[in-house]
Amino acid sequence: MHETKSASHAASLAILIGTWLLVTCTQPIAAQWSSFRGDPQLTGVSRERLPMSLEPIWTAEIPGGVESTAAISGGAVFVGSLNGTFHSLDLETGKENWRLEGEDEIKSSPLVANGLVYFGDEAGAFRALSASTGEPRWIYMAEGGITSSANLAHGCILFGSYDNFLYCLDPEDGTLKWRLETEGYVNSTPAVIGDTAITAGCDGYLRTVNLLDGSQVGKIEVGDYVAASAAVVGNTAFVGTFGNQFLGIDLESKQVSWSYRNPAGEFPFYASAAATSDIVIVGGRDKIVHALDPTTGKALWTHSMKARIDASPVIAGDVVYVASKSGELASLDLKTGSLVWKFETGSPIVASPAISNGRLVIGTLDGTVYAFAGKQENPPL
């Protein structure tokens, strides 16, 4: 009898544990947005789906204005300003956790990893701070300004500089591991695939670099100045140029597979793309959001905005979030390009959306940081 009760108890316990595991493992896992484009490949794709209609839940004023994309990690928002200050804000309330005073413009978007936050400024200072307190941990001085955001892989903090170099620093102490000289400014963020970095710049080349020793593996001519960062899906890199082209580049053959131009006019691409294996989305200075077939480069749909688009789009579920210099923030249906939701900030937007924990965070050039969440149709009285 005792054995029967024990067996019954064990069976009940197993059922309870199984049920708990099923419920726990099927709950959506909130993804951090701890770097410029959300992942090392710079795809600009969120693992979260937000409600179709959003509303601001808080705003924070950042003196000097915001051009860089925020990072979200550990319940905090990290963002730099054009007056040189760097801020940590509470994700739920927007209240300031801490700030670091500075003097030089911060256009580089932060990277958060291993309890530290990394970013560069226009004076060429690349910093690591404690993410929890803002305490400086180390600083490395490049010989030119840094607008490139950082990436992390294989023990390298990677970033480019206006001194024409791609850098790899030790993430713990900031010592230089290697640097690769190019023929022009490196203002884009390097993408990472495997043990290779993918970087483009003002010299008109897309380079593939061995992360272990900094040696150049490949050099692909794109022909024009590149300010955007390449998004990498599989063996293809997607990047726009100031020569009014958007390119699909085969990293295996080291050849341009296809080139897309707006048939209605010649306008450069400053923004980086959001890309999946099914679709590539990029905004142009032609005021148009372009959706392209990643295999052929043919247009799937386009959507017109009120002003040029320098902010990089973000795909989240069935929609893509886009912003323009008019201050317009919108979500578009990923399949058709039709407008789903829109909000007018009243100030130009260059920063890209950051999505984490059911929140969309974005800053404007007037210095307002917005946090959006699902709209309550019937808010409590």
Side-chain angles (χ1 to χ4, degrees), residues 183-263:
E183 299 165 42
Y185 296 157
V186 184
N187 52 2
S188 64
T189 301
V192 170
I193 177 169
D195 59 2
T196 304
I198 315 296
T199 184
C202 296
D203 59 5
Y205 292 99
L206 184 84
R207 287 178 164 83
T208 54
V209 182
N210 187 316
L211 284 171
L212 302 180
D213 59 13
S215 60
Q216 183 170 284
V217 179
K219 182 180 176 183
I220 304 164
E221 185 173 0
V222 298
D224 297 295
Y225 170 94
V226 177
S229 304
V232 179
V233 178
N235 287 319
T236 306
F238 303 100
V239 69
T241 77
F242 264 64
N244 314 315
Q245 297 185 87
F246 187 85
L247 307 174
I249 301 170
D250 189 312
L251 298 174
E252 202 167 310
S253 66
K254 298 179 175 59
Q255 299 289 327
V256 175
S257 298
W258 52 258
S259 173
Y260 170 83
R261 289 177 180 267
N262 180 354

Side-chain angles (χ1 to χ4, degrees), residues 47 97 293 300 362:
R47 297 193 331 218
N97 297 320
D293 184 300
L300 301 175
I362 196 166

Side-chain angles (χ1 to χ4, degrees), residues 155-169:
C156 273
I157 287 289
L158 294 160
F159 64 92
S161 170
Y162 274 47
D163 61 10
N164 300 358
F165 281 94
L166 174 70
Y167 285 89
C168 165
L169 306 183

Side-chain angles (χ1 to χ4, degrees), residues 31 82 131 135-136 145 187 213 238 285 313 316 330 337 339 358 379-380:
L82 294 176
E135 177 187 358
N187 52 2
D213 59 13
F238 303 100
R285 288 189 166 176
L339 181 67

Side-chain angles (χ1 to χ4, degrees), residues 47-89:
R47 297 193 331 218
E48 295 192 31
R49 293 170 181 259
L50 298 178
M52 288 298 179
S53 184
L54 304 177
E55 63 181 356
I57 58 169
W58 57 257
T59 60
E61 299 304 317
I62 305 294
V66 175
E67 186 171 315
S68 69
T69 299
I72 304 173
S73 181
V77 175
F78 301 91
V79 63
S81 77
L82 294 176
N83 74 352
T85 58
F86 189 84
H87 303 256
S88 169
L89 310 173

